[in-house]
């Protein structure tokens, strides 16, 4: 029987075979650590659900901001921004609440002008021009007749108070002149066309009700027609 080799004994005895000195002398290869894979940057793209929620929040904020700009709460009451225009004024309507400047630059509340007297507004396209001067001077010459019938006369135009004051002094106009540079009252009366004032006149009764309007009217005829209408009312009373 052949003798057992050392190797076979180790195997049968369950011992792991020893590495030879030659193999052990070979250096083990260096293990290079692989860099960890870079994490993908989170996408800036939002999920539809997130976008919907943010959209609701933005809409709510914008609505609140707009509402705050239009109205504010004062002592529990909502105050709206003032309207920039007036409703059209026709026969039977009353003088509106509106503040204008007179030829002296003073504030005049239009609604209060007819509180004690009847009122005639005559409208001119431009102060100190030939046709407007004819109309203004014609009202000047019969101004005492209007006063005797308890009616006040006002010239209304889009001119500045300074231009009206100069014209008033130049032509010795005895009645007030009202400046309506944005043509707010002029437009409400229906006397605006193409960005210009139409020559006209309007008669309001004491209390502010519109009784008569003439659009257009000739410069020299305006005061005569207005005075005749006022006299006819008194005759009919």
């Amino acid at each position: 029987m052949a003798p057992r080799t050392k190797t076979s004994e180790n195997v049968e005895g369950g011992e792991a075979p020893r590495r030879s000195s030659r193999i052990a002398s070979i250096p083990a290869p260096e293990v290079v650590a692989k860099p960890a894979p870079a994490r993908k940057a989170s996408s800036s793209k939002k999920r539809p659900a997130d976008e919907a929620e943010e959209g609701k929040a933005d809409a709510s904020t914008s609505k609140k901001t707009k509402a705050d700009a239009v109205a504010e709460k004062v002592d529990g009451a909502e105050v709206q921004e003032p309207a920039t225009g007036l409703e059209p004024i026709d026969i039977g309507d009353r003088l509106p609440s509106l503040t204008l400047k007179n030829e002296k630059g003073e504030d005049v509340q239009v609604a209060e002008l007819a509180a004690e007297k009847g009122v005639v507004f005559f409208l001119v396209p431009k102060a100190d021009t030939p046709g407007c001067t004819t109309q203004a001077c014609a009202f000047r010459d019969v101004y005492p007749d209007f006063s005797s019938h308890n009616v006040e006369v006002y010239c209304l135009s889009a001119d500045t108070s300074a231009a009206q004051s100069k014209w008033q002094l130049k032509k010795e106009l005895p009645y007030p002149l009202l400046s309506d540079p944005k043509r707010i009252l002029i437009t409400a009366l229906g006397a605006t066309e193409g960005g210009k004032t139409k020559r006209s006149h309007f008669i309001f009764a004491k209390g502010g009700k519109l009784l008569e309007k003439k659009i257009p009217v000739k410069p020299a005829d305006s005061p005569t027609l207005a005075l005749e209408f006022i006299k006819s009312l008194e005759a009919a009373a």
Side-chain angles (χ1 to χ4, degrees):
M1 184 174 179
R4 292 181 179 179
T5 62
K6 189 174 183 179
T7 303
S8 61
E9 290 177 355
N10 292 338
V11 172
E12 290 178 1
E15 295 181 2
R18 296 180 181 178
R19 296 175 65 187
S20 66
S21 60
R22 183 179 177 183
I23 295 175
S25 63
I26 298 174
E30 293 183 3
V31 179
V32 180
K34 294 183 179 180
R39 296 179 64 185
K40 293 183 179 180
S42 60
S43 174
S44 60
K45 187 175 181 180
K46 299 173 183 175
R47 293 178 300 168
D50 295 337
E51 291 178 348
E53 289 299 323
E54 292 188 5
K56 290 179 181 179
D58 292 343
S60 176
T61 302
S62 62
K63 287 180 181 179
K64 184 177 180 181
T65 302
K66 184 176 181 180
D68 291 342
V70 174
E72 59 180 345
K73 295 287 184 178
V74 179
D75 295 333
E78 188 174 274
V79 179
Q80 299 289 343
E81 288 184 339
T84 56
L86 296 174
E87 293 293 326
I89 302 169
D90 210 336
I91 301 297
D93 295 331
R94 296 184 179 277
L95 283 171
S97 179
L98 176 69
T99 300
L100 298 178
K101 299 286 187 182
N102 63 14
E103 76 286 351
K104 298 176 183 178
E106 300 168 335
D107 287 342
V108 175
Q109 174 52 251
V110 173
E112 297 176 357
L113 296 178
E116 302 295 334
K117 297 181 179 182
V119 173
V120 174
F121 291 105
F122 74 90
L123 281 58
V124 298
K126 188 172 179 59
D128 205 12
T129 54
C132 299
T133 296
T134 297
Q135 185 179 9
C137 289
F139 270 101
R140 176 198 64 191
D141 296 341
V142 294
Y143 178 71
D145 294 332
F146 285 101
S147 297
S148 67
H149 290 283
N150 200 35
V151 174
E152 186 58 86
V153 175
Y154 292 88
C155 175
L156 177 65
S157 74
D159 298 287
T160 64
S161 296
Q164 291 178 337
S165 179
K166 184 179 179 180
W167 189 35
Q168 185 187 56
L169 292 172
K170 181 180 178 180
K171 297 300 180 180
E172 298 180 347
L173 306 178
Y175 42 77
L177 288 78
L178 299 179
S179 174
D180 185 13
K182 295 183 179 180
R183 292 187 172 87
I184 297 175
L185 179 57
I186 295 172
T187 299
L189 291 170
T192 299
E193 185 175 40
K196 297 181 179 180
T197 302
K198 293 190 286 187
R199 193 182 313 283
S200 52
H201 69 245
F202 301 82
I203 302 174
F204 290 83
K206 178 182 176 180
K209 183 187 292 186
L210 180 59
L211 302 177
E212 171 74 341
K213 61 179 180 179
K214 285 292 183 180
I215 312 172
V217 67
K218 293 181 179 180
D221 293 344
S222 185
T224 302
L225 293 174
L227 193 56
E228 287 178 353
F229 179 82
I230 293 170
K231 289 179 179 179
S232 69
L233 290 178
E234 291 184 352

